[in-house]
Amino acid sequence: MDGKTQTQLFDEFDSANAAVMEHLKKTQKSAIISAGNAIYKAIKAGHRFFVTGTGHSHMMAEEFYTRAGGLACVTPIMPTEFLLHEHPLKSTAVERVAAYAPVIFEVYGIAPGDVLLIASNSGRNGLIVEMALEAKKMGVTVLAITSTVGQASRHPSGKKLCDIADITIDNCSVEGDATCEIYENGPYMGATSTITGAYIVQQLSIAVAAAFMADGVKPPVFLSSNVDAGDAWNRDLFRNYYHV
C-alpha cells in the first residue's frame, strides 16, 4: 500500500500544530483571561474550582491537578469511570449517559458560586452537556475547553458544551481532532487537542495566579516534588487544600 513517508507525516503534523497553535494564540487570549478572573473571583469568595473531563479529555483535568508549577486551589472530578485504564469502551459509554450528571454533583458537592471547568474535545456527549446544564441551573459558572467545530450534539436538548458554557475556550482542533491523512482515503493521525488543551491549562493557571497577585495575594502554586525544596514547600499546600 502506497503511503506517505515518516518525514512527510512529521512535517504535516508539525505544520498542522503550528497553524493550530498560532490560531489559538491569536483568538483565545481574551477568553483565557476572563476565565482566570472568574476562577479567582470564586476562590476569593470561598467557593471551589472544579475540573473534569471524560475519555482522553480527562488529561486536561489531570494537567491542572497537583502539577509542578500548578495551582493548589483545584478540585478534580476524575472518577475511574471517566478514565480509560479499566476498559477501552467504558468511559465512552459513561460519557453518553446524561442521567449520570446528578450523581456527580451529589458525590462531589458542587454548589452555587463554584466554578466548573469541563474539558471535552467534541463537546457533544450527554454526560458533559447535562453537567453543564445542571451547573447553570444551580448558579455554577461553567467554563469549557472544547472544539467549536464538529458534529451535532447527542444530548436531547440539541446543545453542545460550547452552547452552554459561560466562557468557552476553543482548543482550535479540526473536526475529528487528527490532522494527518496516512494514505489516500485512509484514516487520519496526529491529534492536536491534547497539545492545545495542555497549553490552555497552563495559560489559564498562570492567569489565575496573576489575578491573585493583582489583588495583593500570593497564589498557592506547587513546586516540583523532584527539586530539593519541593516537599517542604508543598507540605502546607497539601494540608490546606487537600487535608493530607
Side-chain angles (χ1 to χ4, degrees):
M1 178 180 292
D2 292 333
K4 299 172 183 176
T5 67
Q6 292 164 333
T7 298
Q8 287 174 319
L9 290 168
F10 286 172
D11 288 346
E12 284 187 23
F13 186 52
D14 288 345
S15 295
N17 269 293
V20 167
M21 287 296 297
E22 186 63 26
H23 183 59
L24 188 155
K25 292 175 185 178
K26 287 181 178 178
T27 62
Q28 301 307 305
K29 183 181 292 185
S30 177
I32 293 170
I33 290 172
S34 295
N37 290 337
I39 294 164
Y40 176 65
K41 181 179 178 181
I43 292 168
K44 182 180 179 181
H47 302 294
R48 290 192 290 173
F49 171 42
F50 290 91
V51 295
T52 193
T54 59
H56 283 94
S57 293
H58 94 270
M59 289 188 284
M60 301 309 103
E62 195 161 357
E63 185 71 11
F64 273 110
Y65 182 48
T66 62
R67 189 75 165 84
L71 298 166
C73 48
V74 174
T75 303
I77 300 175
M78 295 191 296
T80 56
E81 61 268 25
F82 280 18
L83 314 183
L84 292 161
H85 63 286
E86 290 187 343
H87 192 282
L89 300 178
K90 183 178 180 180
S91 67
T92 299
V94 169
E95 71 181 357
R96 297 180 183 180
V97 181
Y100 196 55
V103 176
I104 295 297
F105 275 74
E106 181 176 355
V107 169
Y108 286 88
I110 301 170
D114 290 337
V115 173
L116 173 62
L117 183 145
I118 303 172
S120 171
N121 186 56
S122 73
R124 69 187 299 233
N125 287 304
L127 173 58
I128 55 97
V129 172
E130 187 69 17
M131 286 182 68
L133 290 170
E134 185 73 14
K136 292 294 292 288
K137 289 178 188 176
M138 293 178 60
V140 172
T141 299
V142 179
L143 310 178
I145 299 177
T146 187
S147 174
T148 58
V149 301
Q151 298 182 353
S153 173
R154 288 190 171 113
H155 190 271
S157 69
K159 293 183 178 181
K160 297 177 69 174
L161 179 59
C162 60
D163 301 321
I164 304 164
D166 295 287
I167 302 172
T168 293
I169 303 170
D170 188 354
N171 66 19
C172 300
S173 292
V174 299
E175 183 173 359
D177 203 3
T179 54
C180 302
E181 188 178 34
I182 301 303
Y183 54 86
E184 188 175 357
N185 298 319
Y188 282 71
M189 297 182 73
T192 62
S193 65
T194 303
I195 296 167
T196 58
Y199 180 86
I200 289 166
V201 168
Q202 294 301 326
Q203 279 207 323
L204 183 51
S205 298
I206 290 168
V208 176
F212 268 91
M213 292 185 291
D215 207 19
V217 181
K218 185 181 293 185
V221 176
F222 285 113
L223 286 181
S224 170
S225 59
N226 292 310
V227 300
D228 288 343
D231 288 345
W233 176 278
N234 294 335
R235 191 171 294 118
D236 287 342
L237 293 176
F238 280 116
R239 184 181 300 114
N240 292 338
Y241 288 94
Y242 302 123
H243 311 295
V244 294

